[in-house]
């Protein structure tokens, strides 16, 4: 019987385990609590920003569904009322931005600074919310949010490129 480090081990099996297996179980649980929990805590900021960004994205999905019902644009149609098209565009643009933002924010948080990764990630989320709020009203009003989120991505990307380059140069 192979025991893997997991906290989901059922307590109902403990009475039937041999002393040796109980010791192995205790060892693996201790290692998980000591090491793996530390790793989980290490990138808590990046995890919170990821969940927050996905929550904002989920809200944009809901808004597209609401706009479809309100303006009577049934799937698979992607065009119709201008207000529906703006809601759809916000959702699509958020998805396009997430593909770039999430990996670079995680790389930044791991190699540069978790705190600054979370701060810049939070600014990016604020930019995306302002972008959505402005675009829902009128296409011209999206630019402030677009600028904030674009500058956030550029800060993450350029700092990562610099830090990783310096790490590579330093390793030779």
């Amino acid at each position: 019987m192979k025991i893997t480090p997991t906290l989901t081990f059922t307590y109902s099996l403990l009475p039937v385990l041999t002393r040796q297996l109980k010791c192995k179980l205790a060892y693996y649980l201790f290692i998980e609590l000591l090491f793996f929990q530390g790793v989980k805590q290490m990138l808590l900021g990046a995890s919170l920003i990821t969940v927050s960004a996905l929550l904002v994205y989920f809200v944009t999905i809901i808004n597209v569904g609401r706009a479809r019902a309100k303006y009577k644009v049934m799937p698979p149609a992607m065009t119709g009322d201008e207000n529906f098209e703006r809601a759809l565009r916000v959702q699509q643009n958020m998805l396009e931005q997430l593909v770039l933002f999430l990996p670079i924010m995680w790389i930044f948080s791991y190699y540069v600074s978790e705190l600054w990764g979370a701060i810049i990630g939070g600014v990016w989320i604020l930019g995306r919310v302002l972008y959505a709020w402005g675009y829902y009203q009128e296409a011209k009003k999206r630019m402030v949010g677009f600028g904030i989120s674009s500058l956030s991505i550029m800060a993450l990307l350029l700092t990562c490129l610099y830090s990783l380059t310096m790490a590579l140069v330093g390793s030779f």
Side-chain angles (χ1 to χ4, degrees), residues 14-34:
L14 285 178
V16 298
L17 293 178
T18 65
R19 179 178 169 85
Q20 183 181 12
L21 288 176
K22 285 180 185 178
C23 288
K24 284 183 180 181
L25 174 64
Y27 169 77
Y28 284 121
L29 289 175
F30 174 74
I31 293 297
E32 180 173 319
L33 287 172
L34 182 68

Side-chain angles (χ1 to χ4, degrees), residues 32-47:
E32 180 173 319
L33 287 172
L34 182 68
F35 179 71
F36 295 110
Q37 293 297 324
V39 171
K40 289 177 187 174
Q41 292 295 321
M42 188 173 69
L43 293 173
L44 181 61
S47 300

Side-chain angles (χ1 to χ4, degrees), residues 111 160-172:
Y111 285 103
C160 279
L161 284 173
Y162 175 78
S163 295
L164 293 173
T165 302
M166 291 296 107
L168 283 172
V169 168
S171 68
F172 290 111

Side-chain angles (χ1 to χ4, degrees), residues 59-69 84 87-89 91 136:
V59 169
T60 66
I61 293 170
I62 290 171
N63 287 341
V64 169
R66 291 173 56 207
R68 278 190 182 280
F84 163 74
L88 181 63
R89 191 65 208 128
Q91 185 262 330
Y136 288 144

Side-chain angles (χ1 to χ4, degrees), residues 43-55 98 101-102 105-106 109 114-115 117-125:
L43 293 173
L44 181 61
S47 300
L48 290 172
I49 294 300
T50 298
V51 169
S52 300
L54 293 174
L55 181 63
L98 278 172
F101 169 71
L102 288 177
M105 189 265 308
W106 275 92
S109 295
E114 180 191 0
L115 175 64
I119 291 170
I120 297 170
V123 171
W124 181 84
I125 291 171

